[in-house]
Structure formats: C-alpha cells, structure tokens
Amino acid sequence: MKSSDSPERGQSVAALILCAGSGTRTGLSYNKILHYVGKKTVLETVLDSFTLSYADSIYVVINPKDEDAVKPIISQYRSVKTVYGGDTRTQSVRNGLAATEPCDIVVIHDGARPFVTPALINQTIKSAMEYGSGVAVVPMTDTVKILRGETLGESIDRDSVCRIQTPQAFSYPLLCAAYERVEGNYTDDSEVYALAGNTVRIVRGDESNRKITTPTDLFCTAPQRTKIGIGFDVHKLVRARKLVLGGVTVPHEKGLLGHSDADVLTHAIMDALLSAAGLPDIGVLFPDNDPTTESIDSMVLLDKVVAMIAENGFKVGSVSAVVMAQRPKLSPHIPAMRDALASHLNIKREMINVSATTTETLGIIGEEKGIAASAQCTLLY
Ligand code: MG
C-alpha cells in the first residue's frame, strides 16, 4: 500500500495532521486527539492510516501545551514530526506548510477524524497528482432548505450541495501561494485554494469519516467502549464529627463516623469507578484497620482510585450521584462538590452531577441516624 504501489511514483507527498484545536465542545478536559478509540488514541488511529498511505512525511500540528502528551505517541512512528500550531486553524495550516520540506503534494487532515482510511487518503492524493486538488466530500442525505429567521424558506436541491470533509490534498506550491494571498480565518483549505482562482476537484468521502466535535460524537465513536459502574455507601451520623461530602465540609451539628473522613459521597463514587473497572471495592483496597488511612481525606483516596483505573486503561467519562440525607439542606453546597470532584476526576464540571434527596423522615436516613450516597459512572476505554 506504501508508495511502491503508487501509480504516480516520483511525486513527493507530505501530510499535515491538524491537532492544535482546544476541542472544548467535546466536554473533555484534554485534547480529543488523546481520547481513546478502542485501545488507541484518536491520534494513533489517524497516524496508522497515514503511515499506510502514499504520504512520505507526516507533520502533526499541535498545541504546545499538548506536547508532553503527544511526544510518546509520535515517537512510535518513523517520519512523523511535530509543528506548533497557531491561534487559529488558518495560522496552524500556515505553520504546517512553512515547516514542510518542499514537496509536490500536501494532504491536510483534521486530527479529530479518526476513521479516515488509507484508501480515502490515497484517492485525494491521486486526484491532486492529476488535477491539482482532491477534496473528500459526502452527499447531503437530508432535505436542505434556506432559513428565514425562525421559518423555512425554499428548498435547495440536495444533489447540488455536499458536505466537506478532510482529507484534502493539493499541489503544494499552489496551496502555499493561495495561503500567501488570503487574509482572515478559514475553516476549510479548499476555500482558500479556490479563492486563489484554482478549481477544486472532489473525491467521494466516507460517512464513517466523521469528525469528533460534541460529547455525542465521543459516545458514537465508542459504542462498545463504555463501561458502567455503580457504588453505594452509608455512614452513621454522630456528634463531634465534621460532615464532609464530595470533598466539601458542610456546616452541621453532626458529622459522619468512619475510619477516614467518612465522605460517603466520595466513597460511593470510588466504588462506582472501581466496579466499572473490574477492580476490588474500597473496603478491600483501603481497609478500615489500616492506620495509614485513619482520618484520611477521601479525596486523597479518590486520586489513588483515578490513578488505578488509568493504569488499567480507563478514563472517567461521567459520574452521576445522589446523596440521601434528611438534614442539612445540601443544595447550596452541590456546586462546590461538583467542582471539587471534577478536578479530582479530571473531567469537566458538566460531566459530573450530584443530587440530594430526603427520605421523607422515613427509616435511618429520615431519622437522621445516617447519610447514604449512591453513584453511577461511565468509564471510557
Ligand atoms: Mg464508606
């Protein structure tokens, strides 16, 4: 599949993989190129396809803050180099083009499209070798209409429009010249190429070559790569103890009794995480006769659990928990709990939620003898 099979041997091809975006819309606290798709990251999945394509050299355009995380991935591949991106996609492409050794063809790809195939990359390259450009497009399958404010205008013949993907391959000198001419920001290289007076040639893209943008995309990319866990805990309420829930000290005349700080919410969350990862529960990992964990801050234990699940190949996706307490009123403290837990779980605040309920004065919770918590989580792998 490498260049020996290429019908147009002799033309040099460089690939630019754009990975400098922040990816804030995915809800991840890290760059989505570092997200796992199966046993590999998005970036490795992309690089696997490009190393099987006609590309002779590959440049990964990165955000400098991702360098430490990206370096070990890149080092697995020969002829892959990194280039620092800019503040905009357009500047990142310019930096990539400037770093590229002069070549005949440059193929540009969004690092967030992990399912690109070597065949599609090669089709765009072959088109660029023959026509100067080759841009992956997919047909519009939905009905398309013009928007008139909050109402619909006329229909557009959907056969006359298409959706643009990457990879996009171009004559390297023509694309460099096009980028020298334009000002402003562009989200699409074919637009820059066309603005310079060039004709853009299309190649039939692939519906599965989707771009990871939203949390839904992450879920769709990994339908068999999510594990669900459940945890439950209850502690006795006594006088002369602090009440700690989700790492937050809640003012109350009683607190929870336990070997550690008895943070029942964090305990339930830890057990949910461990359960999803197939690991022993906190009673086994942190037994209550261990003097080293006496009065320990449960967030320290949570850090250990998060490290343990990472060692087992999992990342926290989301956490949902409920605290059952008759008193005190917990809703004013929930934002602080979410912030504290999110920072220890290395996820965004919107990926964790905590709710609170009473038991309508019924049972041990209602009689204020104890507080219980239940948690569910998803782990990604
Ligand atoms: Mg406990």
Side-chain angles (χ1 to χ4, degrees), residues 7 10 60 64 76 133 162 266 269 300 309 313 324:
V60 180
Q76 302 172 73
S133 59
C162 64
T266 303
I269 290 171
V300 174
I309 65 166
M324 290 153 261

CSV table of all heavy atoms in Angstrom, one decimal, residues 7 10 60 64 76 133 162 266 269 300 309 313 324:
chain,number,residue,atom,x,y,z
A,7,PRO,N,0.7,4.6,-8.4
A,7,PRO,CA,0.8,4.7,-9.8
A,7,PRO,C,1.6,5.9,-10.3
A,7,PRO,O,2.0,6.0,-11.4
A,7,PRO,CB,-0.7,4.8,-10.3
A,7,PRO,CG,-1.4,5.4,-9.1
A,7,PRO,CD,-0.7,5.0,-7.9
A,10,GLY,N,7.4,9.0,-7.7
A,10,GLY,CA,8.3,10.1,-8.1
A,10,GLY,C,7.7,11.4,-7.5
A,10,GLY,O,8.5,12.4,-7.4
A,60,VAL,N,2.5,16.6,12.4
A,60,VAL,CA,1.4,16.7,13.3
A,60,VAL,C,1.5,18.1,13.9
A,60,VAL,O,2.4,18.5,14.5
A,60,VAL,CB,1.4,15.7,14.4
A,60,VAL,CG1,0.2,15.9,15.3
A,60,VAL,CG2,1.4,14.3,13.8
A,64,PRO,N,1.2,23.7,21.8
A,64,PRO,CA,2.4,23.4,22.6
A,64,PRO,C,2.1,22.8,24.0
A,64,PRO,O,2.8,22.0,24.5
A,64,PRO,CB,3.0,24.8,22.8
A,64,PRO,CG,2.5,25.6,21.6
A,64,PRO,CD,1.2,25.1,21.2
A,76,GLN,N,6.4,6.6,18.4
A,76,GLN,CA,6.2,5.2,17.9
A,76,GLN,C,6.3,5.2,16.4
A,76,GLN,O,6.4,4.1,15.8
A,76,GLN,CB,4.8,4.8,18.3
A,76,GLN,CG,4.5,4.7,19.8
A,76,GLN,CD,3.0,4.4,19.9
A,76,GLN,OE1,2.6,3.3,19.8
A,76,GLN,NE2,2.2,5.4,20.3
A,133,SER,N,-5.9,19.1,-7.1
A,133,SER,CA,-6.6,19.0,-5.8
A,133,SER,C,-7.4,17.8,-5.8
A,133,SER,O,-7.8,17.2,-6.8
A,133,SER,CB,-7.4,20.3,-5.6
A,133,SER,OG,-8.4,20.4,-6.6
A,162,CYS,N,-23.1,19.6,-1.0
A,162,CYS,CA,-22.4,18.5,-0.4
A,162,CYS,C,-21.8,19.0,0.9
A,162,CYS,O,-21.7,20.2,1.2
A,162,CYS,CB,-21.3,17.9,-1.3
A,162,CYS,SG,-20.0,19.1,-1.6
A,266,THR,N,-18.1,10.6,48.2
A,266,THR,CA,-16.8,10.2,47.5
A,266,THR,C,-16.6,8.7,47.6
A,266,THR,O,-16.1,8.1,46.6
A,266,THR,CB,-15.6,11.0,48.1
A,266,THR,OG1,-15.9,12.4,48.0
A,266,THR,CG2,-14.3,10.7,47.4
A,269,ILE,N,-18.8,7.1,45.0
A,269,ILE,CA,-18.2,7.4,43.6
A,269,ILE,C,-17.0,6.5,43.4
A,269,ILE,O,-16.8,5.9,42.3
A,269,ILE,CB,-17.8,8.9,43.5
A,269,ILE,CG1,-19.1,9.7,43.4
A,269,ILE,CG2,-17.0,9.1,42.2
A,269,ILE,CD1,-18.9,11.2,43.5
A,300,VAL,N,-8.0,12.2,48.7
A,300,VAL,CA,-6.6,11.5,48.5
A,300,VAL,C,-6.9,10.1,48.0
A,300,VAL,O,-6.2,9.6,47.1
A,300,VAL,CB,-5.8,11.6,49.8
A,300,VAL,CG1,-4.5,10.8,49.7
A,300,VAL,CG2,-5.5,13.0,50.2
A,309,ILE,N,-7.5,3.3,38.0
A,309,ILE,CA,-8.3,3.0,36.8
A,309,ILE,C,-7.6,3.4,35.5
A,309,ILE,O,-7.7,2.7,34.5
A,309,ILE,CB,-9.7,3.5,36.9
A,309,ILE,CG1,-9.8,5.0,36.9
A,309,ILE,CG2,-10.5,2.9,38.1
A,309,ILE,CD1,-11.1,5.6,36.6
A,313,GLY,N,-6.2,1.2,32.0
A,313,GLY,CA,-6.7,1.5,30.6
A,313,GLY,C,-8.0,2.3,30.6
A,313,GLY,O,-8.6,2.4,29.5
A,324,MET,N,-28.4,10.9,50.1
A,324,MET,CA,-29.7,10.7,50.8
A,324,MET,C,-29.5,11.2,52.2
A,324,MET,O,-28.8,10.6,53.0
A,324,MET,CB,-30.2,9.3,50.7
A,324,MET,CG,-30.6,8.8,49.3
A,324,MET,SD,-30.4,7.1,49.1
A,324,MET,CE,-28.9,7.0,48.1
